[in-house]
Amino acid sequence: MDINLAFFVELFFHVLGMWWVIVPSILLGLFVGAIPGFSAANTIIILLPLTFLMEVEVGLVFMIALYCSSRLGAGIPAILVNIPGTAGAAATPLDGYPMAKQGLGQRALSISFVSSIIGGILTTVIALVTMPWLARVGFYMHSVEMIVVMLFGISLIASVAAKDMIKGLIAGFFGLMIGSIGADHVYATPRGTMGFLELYDGVPLIPALVGLFAISEAFLVIEKGTFLSKTNVQDVDNASWEETIIGVRITLKRWYHVTWTSMIGLIIGVIPGAGAAIASFVAYQQSRTFSKTPEAYGTGHYEGLIAPEAANNGVTAGTLIPLMVLGIPGGATAAIMMVVMQYQGVPTGPRLFTERPELGYGVFMAMLVTYLLMAFTILPMSRYMSRVTMVSTTYMSPIIIAFTLVGSFVPREYMFDMYLAFAFGIVGYIARKTGYHVAAILIGVILGPLLEQYMLRALKMSDGDPMVLFSSSLGNMLWAALVITLILPAFLKRRRKSKAVE
Amino acid sequence: MNEQEKPISSSKKNIAGELILPFCALLFTLYYFSTVIESPWTAQVNAFMVGSVLIGVVVIFFITRIVMLLNGKAQFHLNVPRILSSIKTRQSGFIGLTIAYLLVIESIGFTLTTALFFWGSMLLLDYGKAPVVKGALAVFMALAAYGIFILGFETRLPKGVFEAFLTGVF
């Protein structure tokens, strides 16, 4: 079979013909993505028997559509009510929620959708073209390089803490300590578990996520009675379709920003074990570093919303590359796809592209078609979705509490995780009442265990010699880039000040 | 996001609240150290690296606050009457209901507890207005949650009388 333009055009229309699978999957994905604890992976697992009954290409299209749309869906509650649906959307509320609180929820959703869709389409097309080369990225990323990538994400703590550095550092390092709870990776010694067996595997992310953001938010908003002030309620009520169009225009105007932040997502997505959370934190941090208005980040800045959303949707294409090209699943959803493909007798890795190219390339084509169809299905919804912020907290707070507690129960099905979510809710409530940033705690909880894992691996290989951290050329280049991105904001600020004085 | 504690009196900032988190962080770090003190180095290295930085930052924070106190720029004031009065607010009641929800969900079951939690919370937050309407809404939402989570996604949420009844019927 010749792989040329005609092949891709034919494949595109063939996949487009499966809209009857894609559209319902998009709606299901948006729904499960928006509920914390429910992910594309566990929905696919639940529907696995159904997937086995489908033809292999229909099954794959269904899984891809669900995967992409759930990634996008996770940003919706993050923007409207400060509840990230997944860890990958944890950086979205930093600027999305302040926009919603200003009565600009519809515009924020529109920006989020368009940057996700453009980011998704762009990275899918790039993935299609550069698959064989991108797949090798994972081979070059060893423990040392991964440590630096983690530090790129962790350096976001300093940005989040910009207004009060010392409090931000306390929150961030407290998060890193909480993230260190659990058995150590080599001898399985329990550390800081307070005797709870449920913490031996480490602190589960969903209870931390929903507790710090959602439960603390539910307790806080009842003080105010509503998510919005009276003027902002009127703004939301009077908002027309124009708000959505303004959001589209704002994002398209920043096409360059969408492009490079989604590329960060694609590259991080290719690395097995990394993921949307790291990608969105790194993209947000880099976006802020190179911004001309870094001080506007965290106040409802458009670029602060575009960066994590474009990046976490860029991850979707990246995660599938190692599976398709090398037969190595890059994430949970990719692993389930591999199971389905093996069950159906479809090879993965290089053989897939020689024996079944319509499936190998078809997976990425399905991703492209899903993002295109999402533009037509989800964008018009932004107007109605934004009205969630107008619902009285009398109804919203109990719903947030009950549904997020259920969400924290779902991944492991332990009652303990519900109690843990509540405990994190109290920590988040105290933190926010006393001027600490919960996002800094969460960054520590998410990235801390990963950093430790790679650090230990590197140190074990070098018999404890810390100089191993500077032993690889790529690692040293990344170290240099990290130092530059840490110094650059201060340098640029100084330059701007001196220019202003002149 | 920064709902900083308001000063209690005059222009002096009350620092009592903002000491809670660093104090908890310090206690937790010391406890964590105690759990790894006799462990192999692989279990200690991260804890001592991160923990020592955290302790250092907390100490600096405490010093800055002490300096603020000594310079008269801040005050340390545990406003007990205010804390006691806040216990009567709807917020404290809502937190109490959440704790009750977590405590009884295992014995009563997800659907019934959720319905009671919705009803109780909505009544509390809306000063007891329209109890029948809120009751109907609570039952509807709890049933919807049962349909979505237990029937739809087959989540093994705690089962009780209601779930047993439905299983018996169908």
Side-chain angles (χ1 to χ4, degrees):
Chain A
M1 191 183 284
D2 288 336
I3 309 299
N4 50 27
L5 189 64
F7 167 79
F8 284 116
V9 172
E10 196 184 321
L11 192 59
F12 175 80
F13 284 105
H14 177 66
V15 176
L16 192 62
M18 284 190 254
W19 62 269
W20 53 275
V21 184
I22 299 173
V23 174
S25 307
I26 287 174
L27 297 175
L28 181 63
L30 289 174
F31 180 70
V32 295
I35 307 172
F38 286 84
S39 62
N42 53 27
T43 311
I44 292 172
I45 290 170
I46 292 162
L47 299 174
L48 210 54
L50 194 70
T51 320
F52 287 146
L53 292 175
M54 295 174 184
E55 273 181 49
V56 64
E57 59 178 7
V58 178
L60 284 174
V61 165
F62 159 73
M63 287 189 284
I64 292 288
L66 194 73
Y67 179 42
C68 297
S69 53
S70 69
R71 181 80 78 205
L72 192 142
I76 299 169
I79 290 168
L80 296 177
V81 283
N82 201 17
I83 307 170
T86 61
T92 304
L94 293 175
D95 280 281
Y97 187 55
M99 278 184 78
K101 281 210 289 193
Q102 291 159 26
L104 299 172
Q106 187 181 338
R107 188 183 298 183
L109 285 177
S110 172
I111 291 172
S112 155
F113 295 159
V114 178
S115 46
S116 299
I117 290 165
I118 296 176
I121 290 173
L122 202 70
T123 49
T124 306
V125 172
I126 293 169
L128 261 172
V129 179
T130 60
M131 245 188 297
W133 299 283
L134 268 178
R136 291 165 194 253
V137 170
F139 289 132
Y140 297 115
M141 300 300 287
H142 305 297
S143 308
V144 173
E145 290 80 9
M146 285 306 293
I147 289 169
V148 194
V149 172
M150 295 299 144
L151 290 174
F152 266 105
I154 288 173
S155 65
L156 176 58
I157 290 172
S159 305
V160 166
K163 281 177 196 158
D164 192 340
M165 184 63 81
I166 200 160
K167 278 180 153 183
L169 291 177
I170 289 173
F173 277 90
F174 188 29
L176 285 168
M177 280 308 290
I178 294 172
S180 309
I181 292 174
D184 97 281
H185 299 281
V186 182
Y187 297 105
T189 316
R191 301 167 307 168
T193 56
M194 290 165 271
F196 293 113
L197 280 173
E198 293 89 342
L199 288 175
Y200 273 44
D201 288 337
V203 174
L205 284 187
I206 297 296
L209 186 77
V210 301
L212 289 170
F213 279 91
I215 295 176
S216 64
E217 184 68 36
F219 291 150
L220 278 169
V221 288
I222 56 172
E223 284 178 359
K224 300 170 198 161
T226 169
F227 284 96
L228 305 170
S229 67
K230 273 184 186 168
T231 3
N232 290 338
V233 168
Q234 271 182 347
D235 288 345
V236 174
D237 207 20
N238 298 333
S240 62
W241 288 108
E242 209 188 332
E243 271 296 299
T244 303
I245 295 161
I246 291 171
V248 175
R249 223 179 278 151
I250 287 167
T251 319
L252 292 179
K253 213 174 154 187
R254 288 161 177 78
W255 63 270
Y256 180 70
H257 201 76
V258 179
T259 306
W260 74 266
T261 48
S262 61
M263 285 304 294
I264 290 178
L266 176 66
I267 293 166
I268 292 180
V270 176
I271 306 166
I278 298 167
S280 54
F281 286 139
V282 172
Y284 186 90
Q285 163 63 359
Q286 292 306 300
S287 166
R288 191 182 183 279
T289 301
F290 292 101
S291 171
K292 286 178 183 167
T293 51
E295 67 286 347
Y297 279 68
T299 60
H301 193 48
Y302 300 143
E303 284 163 18
L305 175 58
I306 290 171
E309 284 298 284
N312 66 33
N313 282 277
V315 167
T316 49
T319 316
L320 293 182
I321 291 175
L323 171 70
M324 294 296 147
V325 182
L326 306 169
I328 304 166
T333 314
I336 303 162
M337 279 182 205
M338 195 167 96
V339 171
V340 173
M341 287 165 84
Q342 282 176 346
Y343 177 83
Q344 303 273 17
V346 178
T348 51
R351 273 177 58 214
L352 176 67
F353 291 90
T354 51
E355 291 176 19
R356 303 287 300 270
E358 78 286 0
L359 280 183
Y361 294 108
V363 163
F364 290 94
M365 203 52 90
M367 207 171 251
L368 189 71
V369 172
T370 300
Y371 277 113
L372 284 173
L373 288 178
M374 266 203 275
F376 299 103
T377 47
I378 191 171
L379 211 52
M381 290 187 207
S382 60
R383 189 178 177 194
Y384 306 104
M385 285 176 182
S386 65
R387 287 170 185 265
V388 165
T389 51
M390 292 166 66
V391 178
S392 163
T393 53
T394 300
Y395 305 102
M396 280 305 285
S397 287
I399 292 174
I400 290 173
I401 293 281
F403 283 13
T404 53
L405 285 176
V406 170
S408 60
F409 173 87
V410 169
R412 305 198 301 175
E413 298 194 333
Y414 289 168
M415 273 306 292
F416 176 82
D417 289 353
M418 280 194 180
Y419 307 139
L420 194 63
F422 179 74
F424 271 111
I426 298 295
V427 171
Y429 178 73
I430 293 170
R432 291 164 73 169
K433 287 289 278 184
T434 54
Y436 292 87
H437 218 302
V438 287
I441 303 178
L442 190 70
I443 294 166
V445 175
I446 294 175
L447 299 185
L450 294 170
L451 180 70
E452 187 194 8
Q453 190 184 325
Y454 290 114
M455 179 92 79
L456 272 182
R457 212 176 281 170
L459 289 175
K460 276 293 274 182
M461 282 191 293
S462 66
D463 286 328
D465 180 9
M467 288 314 288
V468 70
L469 300 176
F470 307 101
S471 61
S472 92
S473 313
L474 180 61
N476 290 342
M477 281 163 65
L478 288 169
W479 276 116
L482 177 66
V483 172
I484 290 169
T485 56
L486 289 175
I487 296 171
L488 201 65
F491 173 74
L492 290 175
K493 196 177 172 185
R494 213 171 153 181
R495 214 175 110 182
R496 262 180 239 125
K497 260 188 185 172
S498 64
K499 267 191 179 175
V501 171
E502 281 168 25
Chain B
M1 200 164 280
N2 193 353
E3 291 86 2
Q4 192 127 9
E5 192 168 276
K6 290 187 183 93
I8 287 172
S9 66
S10 70
S11 59
K12 281 184 186 178
K13 182 183 175 189
N14 183 18
I15 57 165
E18 63 180 23
L19 296 179
I20 299 172
L21 203 76
F23 188 68
C24 292
L26 191 64
L27 278 182
F28 177 72
T29 306
L30 295 175
Y31 159 71
Y32 194 101
F33 283 178
S34 75
T35 63
V36 295
I37 202 80
E38 286 173 13
S39 303
W41 70 270
T42 52
Q44 293 175 334
V45 63
N46 183 64
F48 288 136
M49 270 169 58
V50 176
S52 51
V53 177
L54 178 59
I55 290 173
V57 177
V58 169
V59 169
I60 294 170
F61 179 75
F62 284 156
I63 292 170
T64 59
R65 291 320 184 249
I66 291 168
V67 171
M68 281 171 77
L69 281 173
L70 293 175
N71 290 342
K73 287 180 185 167
Q75 60 177 327
F76 181 87
H77 184 61
L78 283 175
N79 196 338
V80 179
R82 191 178 151 190
I83 294 167
L84 287 175
S85 68
S86 73
I87 291 170
K88 293 169 197 160
T89 63
R90 294 183 304 153
Q91 199 169 18
S92 312
F94 184 56
I95 293 173
L97 274 174
T98 308
I99 295 170
Y101 177 68
L102 286 170
L103 290 177
V104 300
I105 191 169
E106 258 194 303
S107 45
I108 300 183
F110 168 73
T111 316
L112 198 57
T113 320
T114 303
L116 289 171
F117 172 71
F118 280 150
W119 190 54
S121 310
M122 286 191 282
L123 279 180
L124 176 83
L125 298 177
D126 207 16
Y127 302 100
K129 288 178 199 163
V132 180
V133 177
K134 285 190 173 63
L137 194 63
V139 170
F140 172 75
M141 289 198 299
L143 286 175
Y146 171 81
I148 294 167
F149 298 125
I150 296 181
L151 295 182
F153 290 107
E154 293 173 5
T155 308
R156 283 180 293 179
L157 284 157
K159 291 185 171 64
V161 189
F162 178 77
E163 287 82 5
F165 170 72
L166 280 192
T167 314
V169 171
F170 301 106

